Amino acid sequence: MKPLDKDIILSQFTQRFGGPAAWVVRAPGRVNLIGEHTDYNDGFVLPLAIDRAVWIALRRRPDHRVAVYSVDYRQDGAFDLDRLENEKSGWLEYVKGTAWSLEESGLRLAGWEGVLQGDVPLGAGLSSSAALEMAAARAFTAAAELPWDPKPMALLGQKAENRWVGVNCGIMDQLISAAGKADHALLIDCRSLETEAVPFPPGTAVAVLDTSTRRGLVDSAYNERRAQCEAAARFFQVKALRDVTRQRFDREADGLDDVTRRRARHVIGENDRTVEAADAMRRGDAALLGQLMNQSHESLRDDYEVSNDALNVMVECARRHPGCFGARMTGAGFGGCAVALIDAQAAADFVQRTADAYEKQTGLHSAVYVCRATNGAEVV
Ligand code: ADP
Ligand code: MG
């Protein structure tokens, strides 16, 4: 698929509404390099905003109506800002939920009409939903001529997803979609929400490897993992596992049952690895970053037990390529995507050979995207 750009979305707008659009906004999907299942433990994550995004072209309306055409669903949707009703499903709820959340925070919004189109694959673990929320938030702030501040907007997007759409996600997806920086990953402290942009080691690229398997039991397994982490935090008498050092864990963890101990060991080790990975990036050390990603996968597979066969095979196939520094599953697990750090010069060969090897070994289809780190939500 040809990547979306400003011209494409502008011509969609003109076809639909006749006249020109006043603004074009985009908000990217994301992939997490390292720091998995750490967000709800008040820990660290290291995602990048990718060059696949949700785009909206829009112009203001004189009334309080929001009218959106979804190019991907070939569907019109509309609602009134003064009478927001939750219809419980469908793409429009992400836009409406964002309006609800912004209005709840005291912002006064204006009506607009626009077209919506994206090239973040849906449900693949690249967070098309957060991209849509942040694109909607950027569109609402543009139309109402409100200032754009990525952090509070990310929190409002998360609130829309938690409370309007009803998905219990952390802050990572919206924050990286709102605040990403080109050619950098973002180290996020999920407790303080402090962020630091860290550059990619020179000559490296990021590949996202979709296993084409999809999470089935992910919600119940996710809730179970969260409960286990909370139990471990109670055992250590801390607010969250973020507050337990590796040294303390090694001294005291014998008092935990086997499963809870392994869950805690993943989270505590993963936090350290994530901080170390950011440091490796600052020093341009691709080899160390790759090793840390490999260790993260082993920990998610063996201690946290959220990988699946397809992800394990994909990771093995990726690592077999000489241009691969490291690879791991990314996202909540039980299917979806792996992520690899690769030598940019070898990217085309890596894509071909890894996809071939995976398909041969599993009989499953795969999709591999080489990504560039882009800016977060913006008017373009
Ligand atoms: P993901 O892992 O991609 O975030 P979700 O199930 O959380 O998966 O979100 C996917 C939903 O977001 C879609 O079902 C759709 O309602 C909405 N969505 C994402 N991208 C678009 C788009 N380009 N156009 C319309 N709706 C979209
Ligand atoms: Mg989502």
Side-chain angles (χ1 to χ4, degrees):
M1 188 166 115
K2 184 170 175 267
L4 274 175
D5 61 30
K6 189 174 174 177
D7 291 339
I8 296 175
I9 188 86
L10 277 174
S11 83
Q12 295 283 7
F13 185 94
T14 320
Q15 273 177 42
R16 197 75 200 164
F17 295 103
W23 300 278
V24 173
V25 302
R26 65 172 277 283
R30 63 96 185 95
V31 62
N32 192 19
L33 265 191
I34 192 166
E36 215 64 74
H37 288 279
T38 45
D39 57 346
Y40 52 83
N41 290 291
D42 279 4
F44 296 91
V45 294
L46 189 58
L48 56 137
I50 61 175
D51 48 350
R52 286 171 168 266
V54 170
W55 294 69
I56 300 174
L58 68 147
R59 71 180 171 205
R60 195 170 165 158
R61 288 172 60 113
D63 56 13
H64 280 183
R65 254 185 113 56
V66 175
V68 194
Y69 176 69
S70 160
V71 175
D72 302 308
Y73 286 86
R74 296 198 182 91
Q75 222 173 55
D76 276 305
F79 56 88
D80 195 320
L81 285 168
D82 302 321
R83 271 188 311 279
L84 297 175
E85 270 172 53
N86 197 330
E87 284 159 72
K88 303 282 191 247
S89 79
W91 58 271
L92 189 65
E93 295 310 308
Y94 293 88
V95 181
K96 209 193 284 172
T98 304
W100 167 80
S101 174
L102 265 57
E103 286 198 320
E104 279 255 310
S105 80
L107 296 172
R108 288 186 54 85
L109 303 181
W112 51 268
E113 55 203 2
V115 293
L116 160 70
Q117 189 174 6
D119 57 7
V120 187
L122 309 185
L126 301 180
S127 215
S128 66
S129 60
L132 175 50
E133 286 146 10
M134 298 328 296
R138 195 66 200 85
F140 279 113
T141 52
E145 293 175 46
L146 294 164
W148 174 258
D149 190 353
K151 222 167 275 182
M153 285 299 157
L155 285 164
L156 293 174
Q158 183 198 13
K159 183 175 169 186
E161 178 122 8
N162 291 164
R163 307 239 329 254
W164 191 272
V165 179
V167 174
N168 186 13
C169 61
I171 186 62
M172 167 167 71
D173 301 350
Q174 288 80 12
L175 189 50
I176 183 65
S177 182
K181 187 167 168 218
D183 305 320
H184 290 67
L186 210 60
L187 178 66
I188 301 174
D189 179 335
C190 295
R191 173 170 278 169
S192 67
L193 297 192
E194 245 177 81
T195 61
E196 182 194 340
V198 284
F200 274 91
T204 59
V206 171
V208 175
L209 310 128
D210 191 341
T211 62
S212 78
T213 61
R214 294 289 178 261
R215 36 185 181 178
L217 289 168
V218 72
D219 287 347
S220 57
Y222 179 84
N223 291 334
E224 185 188 62
R225 296 299 181 288
R226 283 188 79 139
Q228 290 163 336
C229 290
E230 283 160 21
R234 276 197 302 279
F235 170 83
F236 288 106
Q237 297 186 301
V238 290
K239 183 162 173 277
L241 283 179
R242 147 74 174 275
D243 300 308
V244 182
T245 62
R246 185 68 207 218
Q247 290 78 359
R248 183 167 174 217
F249 175 84
D250 288 339
R251 274 198 316 271
E252 298 174 26
D254 284 346
L256 285 167
D257 68 88
D258 175 59
V259 171
T260 313
R261 186 170 45 79
R262 286 187 292 119
R263 303 294 190 252
R265 182 165 65 190
H266 165 71
V267 172
I268 293 162
E270 187 77 354
N271 271 329
D272 287 350
R273 280 188 290 275
T274 305
V275 172
E276 210 184 321
D279 204 45
M281 288 180 75
R282 283 181 213 108
R283 285 184 283 107
D285 191 340
L288 177 57
L289 176 58
Q291 280 169 26
L292 292 162
M293 291 169 70
N294 289 344
Q295 289 166 14
S296 167
H297 183 77
E298 269 71 274
S299 177
L300 288 158
R301 185 191 61 200
D302 303 334
D303 275 353
Y304 219 62
E305 296 180 284
V306 291
S307 191
N308 70 354
D309 290 345
L311 283 165
N312 295 337
V313 171
M314 185 66 97
V315 163
E316 281 163 31
C317 293
R319 287 180 189 170
R320 239 179 271 145
H321 194 279
C324 179
F325 293 101
R328 58 180 285 274
M329 57 155 279
T330 184
F334 303 102
C337 294
V339 60
L341 184 74
I342 61 174
D343 175 352
Q345 300 235 298
D349 189 59
F350 173 87
V351 168
Q352 177 85 59
R353 279 161 63 177
T354 307
D356 285 353
Y358 175 80
E359 290 178 15
K360 207 160 170 193
Q361 206 169 325
T362 59
L364 296 168
H365 181 70
S366 71
V368 184
Y369 319 102
V370 177
C371 298
R372 212 164 36 78
T374 68
N375 284 328
E378 60 189 348
V379 175
V380 292

